[in-house]
Amino acid sequence: MDSSSETPQAPHVGRSTEPLVTRLAARGVHGVALTWVDNAGLARVKAVPLARLGQAAERGVGMSPVFDIYLVDDSLTSSRYTGGPDGDLRLVPDLDRLTPLAAQPGWAWAPVDRFEQDGRRYPGCQRHFARRMTDRAAERGLELRMGFETEWVVTRDGAPAATGPAYGMTRMVELSAYTGDLLTAFAAQGLDVLQLHPEYAPGQFEVSVAPSDPVGAADEAVLVRETVRAVSLAHGLTPAFGPAVAPGSVGNGRHLHLSLWEDGRNLCAGGDGPFGMTRRAESFLAGVLAALPELLAVGAPSPASHLRLQPSRWSAPFRCWGLENREAALRFITGAPDDPAAANAELKCFDPAANPYLVVGSVIAAGLAALDSDDALPDPVSGDPVDQGLPRLPRSLPDSLELFRGSALLREAMGDELFEAFAAVRAAEAELFADHSPEELAAATRERY
Ligand code: GLU
Ligand code: MG
């Protein structure tokens, strides 16, 4: 169904918020931050005092659609459907996701869906796109389980805040109170953290959370980042979530793990396809792998993404897949033989400049498009793909944008309005940074996200 023709309905009309407000007040919450993620990959916010939460849930909070064509530096472009100072949208919080923020005492957070003033779904809403694609999978009897890994670099006075070795316990000792506060805040917010560790680059850390439904995974990507930001700032540290922190070095990825389920069974295990995946999962993953060049503008959308996407840095810039291969754009993970639920695929080429809602929606669209094709995956690759003659993913934003623009698959899935606005922002960012040196580009973007 065309999203713009849906019955007008905000999600929480008729639901009483009183008990929730009372509970939040008892916990000392006085304000609720309502976020959505724009086409530049930035979380934008309107906040309401707690007393206004009920009204926000019922009628939404106003915000201009112009933010759909904002760039990472807050300048703006225009697209065929969006631009100019006119119009307003309603931000409607998803109360099921409302979370008191452990690292921002007095505050709670909720992601929003965006509606037109007359109550229709706004076709440019990225979160609704993710939901539509999830529903599309459900119509095929399929469920996706997804989870993002978050990498970031922390600095103090411009220098890496931890100087110990990659994956070194030294770093955990150097920033023991910080990492401890991170875990405390994640737990208080109900985030099911799998791991926290120091990553390769100086001052770099990573946290991964357990898989959830696709929209939930994207929501959690937002919550994790804002929690890391709040805890970092409270410790006098500056977090950098940009894809490239220092050109010529390892960057920040935001890898997406996914598995495909049917009737409570993980289709990534127990089948007769490669490494035990079922044929259905194989077709789905073959579709994602085939579409990666056109998906790249969504998952690695900044010019700075291409400073990161270099060979032999585990950013996986080759369109290939392999079992536990960290240089392959798609890494397949079987998990332990007695734990079929753990089998999954990891898309490693994606980074933190991406809008996580657009990422999950686009990946589902690409996988579903291949589901009936019986497409098989190509041969898996082992070892570093760099000298194996394998296809490189697009090397620049203009190149990936051209493929995105030619993608009938993504245009159909996103709908013209979202597709055009996203493409316009990508084009404008390519132009904005065209004359920047790698150092200038990294500096202009690393602390924006
Ligand atoms: N930092 C690497 C990246 O740019 C990823 C390292 C890892 O495999 O976790 O994606
Ligand atoms: Mg990592």
Side-chain angles (χ1 to χ4, degrees):
M1 183 164 48
D2 179 348
S3 60
S4 57
S5 67
E6 277 178 18
T7 319
Q9 190 177 33
H12 295 288
V13 172
R15 172 168 158 182
S16 167
T17 48
E18 242 179 76
L20 176 64
V21 167
T22 308
R23 269 203 317 277
L24 291 170
R27 291 184 61 161
V29 169
H30 53 67
V32 186
L34 309 176
T35 65
W36 61 285
V37 183
D38 69 8
N39 290 319
L42 304 187
R44 306 270 181 192
V45 69
K46 282 281 184 89
V48 291
L50 185 60
R52 287 268 171 194
L53 182 63
Q55 202 168 11
E58 187 144 340
R59 303 211 170 275
V61 175
M63 194 165 198
S64 166
V66 80
F67 289 100
D68 278 326
I69 43 150
Y70 260 53
L71 276 51
V72 66
D73 70 339
D74 286 347
S75 63
L76 66 163
T77 181
S78 66
S79 85
R80 195 183 303 165
Y81 302 93
T82 319
D86 306 318
D88 202 29
L89 296 172
R90 311 305 297 171
L91 310 183
V92 178
D94 184 342
L95 297 184
D96 294 330
R97 299 294 311 190
L98 194 137
T99 308
L101 293 175
Q104 287 175 256
W107 283 97
W109 160 88
V112 304
D113 288 296
R114 296 187 297 154
F115 290 79
E116 309 270 13
Q117 282 177 307
D118 63 7
R120 276 179 306 140
R121 288 274 180 192
Y122 172 55
C125 178
Q126 296 86 351
R127 191 168 186 264
H128 186 53
F129 165 61
R131 171 91 58 215
R132 280 196 298 115
M133 293 305 110
T134 306
D135 291 349
R136 204 181 260 194
E139 282 158 21
R140 311 287 302 271
L142 295 170
E143 193 195 328
L144 274 299
R145 311 276 301 149
M146 292 182 160
F148 285 98
E149 294 180 356
T150 295
E151 294 183 341
W152 74 98
V153 167
V154 269
T155 58
R156 185 182 276 123
D157 303 326
T163 51
Y167 298 87
M169 181 60 188
T170 307
R171 274 197 218 168
M172 291 300 247
V173 178
E174 286 177 275
L175 291 181
S176 190
Y178 170 63
T179 47
D181 282 355
L182 282 173
L183 290 179
T184 306
F186 293 141
Q189 293 172 180
L191 286 163
D192 187 2
V193 166
L194 298 171
Q195 288 180 27
L196 172 72
H197 67 267
E199 257 292 346
Y200 188 85
Q204 193 178 39
F205 287 85
E206 172 181 322
V207 64
S208 49
V209 292
S212 97
D213 66 282
V215 176
D219 289 339
E220 288 188 352
V222 175
L223 183 57
V224 165
R225 182 180 298 180
E226 298 315 321
T227 303
V228 170
R229 195 189 316 276
V231 174
S232 302
L233 295 176
H235 280 261
L237 305 171
T238 305
F241 297 101
V245 176
S249 170
V250 169
N252 289 322
R254 187 167 58 189
H255 310 169
L256 175 68
H257 288 263
L258 67 131
S259 55
L260 191 65
W261 294 66
E262 188 175 32
D263 298 330
R265 178 176 159 231
N266 185 358
L267 299 182
C268 291
D272 57 4
F275 307 116
M277 68 181 88
T278 63
R279 294 292 167 189
R280 248 186 146 192
E282 182 179 7
S283 296
F284 187 96
L285 294 178
V288 174
L289 186 65
L292 268 188
E294 61 208 87
L295 288 170
L296 198 71
V298 177
S302 166
S305 300
H306 294 272
L307 296 177
R308 164 185 170 259
L309 274 174
Q310 299 298 320
S312 309
R313 289 189 202 158
W314 289 9
S315 63
F318 293 93
R319 180 155 63 88
C320 60
W321 77 287
L323 180 68
E324 294 285 14
N325 187 337
R326 286 182 168 79
E327 284 292 344
L330 196 157
R331 167 189 173 212
F332 190 69
I333 299 154
T334 55
D338 64 344
D339 188 12
N344 73 92
E346 178 187 25
L347 288 167
K348 290 185 61 84
C349 51
F350 295 165
D351 71 51
N355 179 316
Y357 301 98
L358 295 183
V359 168
V360 302
S362 302
V363 166
I364 297 171
L368 290 181
L371 209 57
D372 299 324
S373 66
D374 276 344
D375 280 357
L377 282 163
D379 288 339
V381 169
S382 60
D384 194 336
V386 70
D387 297 321
Q388 301 188 42
L390 291 155
R392 191 71 192 261
L393 290 168
R395 288 168 190 248
S396 70
L397 177 54
D399 287 356
S400 67
L401 181 56
E402 195 180 326
L403 296 170
F404 175 83
R405 280 206 159 118
S407 174
L409 175 104
L410 292 175
R411 181 184 284 279
E412 181 282 323
M414 287 186 177
D416 274 351
E417 196 155 337
L418 177 56
F419 184 89
E420 290 290 342
F422 180 75
V425 173
R426 293 299 105 238
E429 286 193 4
E431 202 182 313
L432 176 70
F433 295 120
D435 296 329
H436 280 52
S437 68
E439 288 72 21
E440 289 167 338
L441 176 56
T445 50
R446 64 186 164 222
E447 287 165 16
R448 290 296 290 175
Y449 293 98

